[in-house]
Amino acid sequence: MMISYVELVNNLSDNPRDISTKPITNRVGKWFYAYAEGGSVIVDVAKEHTPKCSISKPRILFEKEMEEIYELYLLRKQGHSVSRQATDITMNQVYWYGIFDDMGL
């Protein structure tokens, strides 16, 4: 079930929160803080959880990346290796994956 970027922005506006990355291996995910501001999804260093992602400054997750990254997220959940394709789209794929997982997508 794909959601729109606007729905994602609304969700994070109403409920900004720490979210964990979701490594495929048995490694522990790292936490980041996801929120919305000015109509954009933004990620930053976790507020309440550890281990924290090392984000030097807030990053915008752009709407234009969402659809392709979501498709790769679905393939990744099925066990496919999508790292190379995801990196070609954005260096922020781990945050997208964490948000999608957190939202039960």
Side-chain angles (χ1 to χ4, degrees), residues 56-73:
S56 57
K57 62 180 183 173
R59 299 179 186 188
I60 297 173
L61 301 186
F62 295 102
E63 181 175 7
K64 65 182 173 141
E65 303 167 347
M66 185 174 170
E67 189 173 341
E68 276 186 288
I69 287 295
Y70 181 72
E71 295 300 321
L72 292 177
Y73 166 75

Side-chain angles (χ1 to χ4, degrees), residues 12 20 25 39-40 50 64 66 75-76 96:
L12 292 171
S20 178
T25 62
S40 294
T50 57
K64 65 182 173 141
M66 185 174 170
L75 290 172
R76 182 178 185 262
W96 281 113

Side-chain angles (χ1 to χ4, degrees), residues 74-87:
L74 295 177
L75 290 172
R76 182 178 185 262
K77 279 179 54 171
Q78 295 171 2
H80 298 278
S81 176
V82 297
S83 298
R84 182 168 291 135
Q85 300 98 300
T87 303

Side-chain angles (χ1 to χ4, degrees), residues 17-23 28-34 43-55 95 98 102:
R17 59 195 177 274
D18 281 357
I19 294 175
S20 178
T21 61
K22 301 295 176 201
V28 174
K30 293 189 177 184
W31 292 87
F32 62 95
Y33 183 70
V43 296
D44 203 350
V45 176
K47 304 255 186 227
E48 300 175 5
H49 295 84
T50 57
K52 299 178 183 204
C53 288
S54 54
I55 301 174
Y95 307 115
D102 180 77

